[in-house]
Amino acid sequence: MLFLCLAWLTLLAGIRPLMLPDEGRYVGVAWGMLSSGDWLVPTLDGLPFFHKPPLFYWLTGLALQVFGSNDWAARLASVIGAALATGALYLFVSRHGDKRLAGVSAVVLVSQPMFFAGAQYANLDMLVAGMISATIVCGASAILRLDRGLPYRTVLAAAYVFAALGVLAKGLIGFVLPGAVLLAWLLLGKRYRLIPALLSLPMLLLFVAVAAPWFLWMQKSYSGFWDYFFVYHHFQRFAHSGFSNARPFWFYLPVVLLGALPWSPWIVRLGAPKFLADPPRCEIRSLMIVWLLAILVFFSWPNSKLIGYIFPALPPLAYLLADAILTWLQKRQDAQRADASGYLGGSVLLAGSLCVAFVALVGQFDPTSTRALSRQVAPLFSADDQLVMIDEYEYDLPFYLRARKNSWVVSDWQDADIPLRDNWRKELFDAGRFAPIKAQEVLLLAGELAPRLCALGSGTVWIWGKTAQAARYPFLSQQTVAFSDGKKAVWRFDDAQRRRLAEC
């Protein structure tokens, strides 16, 4: 079952180019680690990039090294997160429920279009969802075993390790969310006496040993790291209303219902009076309901909302939907009505078709990637050539061209409004504060580009920008455009061409 789920999740991972900005940004950081050989400091265009911890970059960089620099390998960390969530749910339900329910839960989960798309989207959301899911089910298993007097320390240690990896995947939510879910479930079941054993000192030390070293080293290496990473990105951004993606409080309800089609209509059966009164399944059902509601409420509270934030709620939703479906099927069989099991197979087929159609449509109509234009440039591009980007940072360009030099990014870096806008300029501007000397090397003002071209000793320079920008730079308007897709243009300058420029 788990092998088939993994094969399904990887099936279409490489058919479409990286989407910008998210996929290009995070894969670009991983490519920077791999190409520079520095696996400790995440960098964006060579500048320390501390928006997120390093686990996604480590896994993606390793995948690129093992399987080659391609779109499929670039998404493997997200596939791992989805597979971890699926495997954790399946094994937990198999052990504490029954195998048929575990199998249907796994199938419902991986065939939800939103979950399937998240597994094929190269950002941190699905990876941390996998870690959170594994933490919750390992912690719940430890609670059940401890309550019954069975050995529990091994599975509890696994919960603490997954919580630490969740912190390395996306920060404090890696242990705050699963901790809140498990605590609420403990209190609901009146298992107060178990709390001291679950918070034992050896387990807390294990968590710190896994989670803390990278953060301590970054603070030692870059003054102000903790304030920027924890205070700003965790608390100020969580509560601030000025960032992008502002959505109403109820935003995730329709998102989840639409993203779980065709399974989501079964959610109406969860409100039946007898659903929570079934003693054999009440324990697990209560965990799944607490888990689902905790994630929904937590991420609905802040003003800024992204669809990927809600991924940790999809495993418990899949279980509850599968439970409702199997309960209905069993009642029909007990009543000797016509066999309704064909509904399950038909729903799987429909759900799978929706998943494939969604990914195919995104790949067909997403215009953000530079992959098509990069493929035209790649045969002439050397890894040591210099890339220049004008008024736009193309996150995926170094990855697709296998560039090893940091790009020169030309923009108005003296604009006082840069810190107020949540975009690519702010990301590079913030990163430059941790390495000001390096920032002077890669972040150029418009008037600095021509002198920099003239001062470059040798090597080919590739300038990327919009076709209309040639009018702002006289030396570009004098050159023949090497490649263009109508909106974007690429100019190529070898040594001889640069020496002939009037500016030089």
Side-chain angles (χ1 to χ4, degrees):
M1 173 63 71
L2 295 181
F3 176 80
L4 290 174
C5 288
L6 179 62
W8 163 248
L9 293 173
T10 59
L11 181 65
L12 302 178
I15 70 166
R16 60 180 182 83
L18 300 178
M19 291 182 68
L20 301 183
D22 280 6
E23 287 195 298
R25 178 196 301 115
Y26 297 122
V27 174
V29 173
W31 169 254
M33 276 189 171
L34 179 61
S35 60
S36 68
D38 183 354
W39 291 82
L40 281 177
V41 183
T43 58
L44 187 65
D45 199 30
L47 303 173
F49 184 66
F50 294 137
H51 281 220
K52 300 294 185 286
L55 184 60
F56 178 90
Y57 310 132
W58 289 342
L59 292 175
T60 304
L62 182 62
L64 296 177
Q65 189 172 48
V66 173
F67 299 107
S69 298
N70 56 73
D71 296 314
W72 182 87
R75 297 188 174 102
L76 196 55
S78 295
V79 173
I80 290 172
L84 180 61
T86 306
L89 179 67
Y90 177 82
L91 295 174
F92 177 76
V93 178
S94 294
R95 179 173 293 274
H96 299 286
D98 64 74
K99 287 191 175 181
R100 188 185 185 202
L101 179 54
V104 175
S105 298
V107 170
V108 170
L109 179 60
V110 299
S111 62
Q112 292 180 41
M114 184 162 62
F115 186 85
F116 182 77
Q120 322 241 331
Y121 191 75
N123 76 349
L124 289 72
D125 293 329
M126 187 55 77
L127 182 61
V128 73
M131 298 303 170
I132 289 172
S133 300
T135 303
I136 291 173
V137 300
C138 287
S141 184
I143 290 169
L144 294 174
R145 295 181 68 84
L146 177 61
D147 194 37
R148 297 165 185 169
L150 300 173
Y152 69 94
R153 289 184 176 83
T154 300
V155 69
L156 181 61
Y160 274 89
V161 170
F162 282 122
L165 293 175
V167 172
L168 288 172
K170 207 174 180 181
L172 296 179
I173 65 168
F175 77 88
V176 170
L177 284 182
V181 170
L182 293 172
L183 178 60
W185 188 54
L186 276 169
L187 298 179
L188 182 65
K190 299 181 179 180
R191 296 187 175 100
Y192 319 108
R193 71 187 190 282
L194 304 181
I195 293 177
L198 296 171
L199 296 177
S200 65
L201 181 60
M203 296 299 171
L204 294 172
L205 291 176
L206 174 63
F207 171 83
V208 171
V210 176
W214 182 81
F215 295 97
L216 293 171
W217 186 258
M218 290 302 101
Q219 175 62 23
K220 180 181 178 182
S221 303
Y222 297 93
S223 177
F225 165 77
W226 285 357
D227 180 73
Y228 180 75
F229 183 84
F230 290 109
V231 177
Y232 176 69
H233 274 287
H234 280 71
F235 298 105
Q236 292 182 7
R237 284 179 63 98
F238 184 85
H240 204 283
S241 61
F243 291 99
S244 57
N245 309 305
R247 299 290 186 269
F249 181 84
W250 48 263
F251 171 73
Y252 285 122
L253 291 177
V255 166
V256 168
L257 293 176
L258 290 173
L261 288 173
W263 307 107
S264 51
W266 285 98
I267 202 168
V268 298
R269 297 187 63 86
L270 305 185
K274 295 183 179 179
F275 187 77
L276 282 176
D278 185 2
R281 293 185 179 177
C282 179
E283 209 162 40
I284 300 180
R285 283 173 176 173
S286 63
L287 170 65
M288 298 299 173
I289 291 174
V290 169
W291 180 355
L292 175 63
L293 292 179
I295 302 297
L296 282 172
V297 171
F298 181 86
F299 286 112
S300 295
W301 191 262
N303 192 51
S304 179
K305 299 176 180 68
L306 291 173
I307 290 177
Y309 293 171
I310 208 66
F311 288 162
L314 299 183
L317 176 64
Y319 170 87
L320 293 170
L321 294 174
D323 196 354
I325 293 170
L326 289 183
T327 301
W328 176 74
L329 289 175
Q330 186 62 48
K331 287 182 179 179
R332 290 188 65 86
Q333 291 176 358
D334 292 344
Q336 296 182 346
R337 297 179 182 177
D339 183 20
S341 58
Y343 171 84
L344 188 59
S347 297
V348 172
L349 182 61
L350 176 58
S353 300
L354 290 175
C355 292
V356 173
F358 179 79
V359 173
L361 287 173
V362 170
Q364 182 69 27
F365 295 105
D366 172 46
T368 60
S369 176
T370 67
R371 187 174 74 172
L373 199 54
S374 297
R375 285 179 172 175
Q376 301 179 48
V377 175
L380 301 176
F381 187 86
S382 170
D384 292 324
D385 288 352
Q386 181 63 58
L387 281 172
V388 180
M389 305 183 201
I390 300 178
D391 285 330
E392 188 73 40
Y393 186 71
E394 306 284 4
Y395 291 100
D396 59 345
L397 188 55
F399 168 72
Y400 281 127
L401 291 179
R402 315 295 187 261
R404 297 192 178 275
K405 282 186 175 181
N406 299 316
S407 304
W408 299 344
V409 185
V410 183
S411 189
D412 182 9
W413 298 109
Q414 297 176 341
D415 185 355
D417 290 338
I418 288 179
L420 306 178
R421 299 170 182 169
D422 202 16
N423 56 25
W424 65 271
R425 285 187 179 88
K426 176 174 168 51
E427 291 174 358
L428 289 172
F429 183 83
D430 286 353
R433 291 178 174 179
F434 288 99
I437 296 177
K438 186 69 175 180
Q440 293 178 4
E441 177 186 330
V442 298
L443 305 182
L444 279 61
L445 297 172
E448 296 176 331
L449 177 55
R452 186 71 68 88
L453 289 175
C454 298
L456 187 66
S458 62
T460 301
V461 178
W462 297 84
I463 299 180
W464 290 65
K466 294 177 180 172
T467 306
Q469 290 170 334
R472 296 174 50 193
Y473 299 90
F475 59 89
L476 290 183
S477 61
Q478 298 168 8
Q479 305 297 319
T480 302
V481 173
F483 299 98
S484 176
D485 62 3
K487 295 182 179 179
K488 298 178 182 178
V490 184
W491 293 266
R492 180 179 183 271
F493 294 83
D494 58 23
D495 293 344
Q497 288 172 314
R498 284 189 289 110
R499 285 195 296 266
R500 291 197 299 266
L501 292 177
E503 289 79 1
C504 300

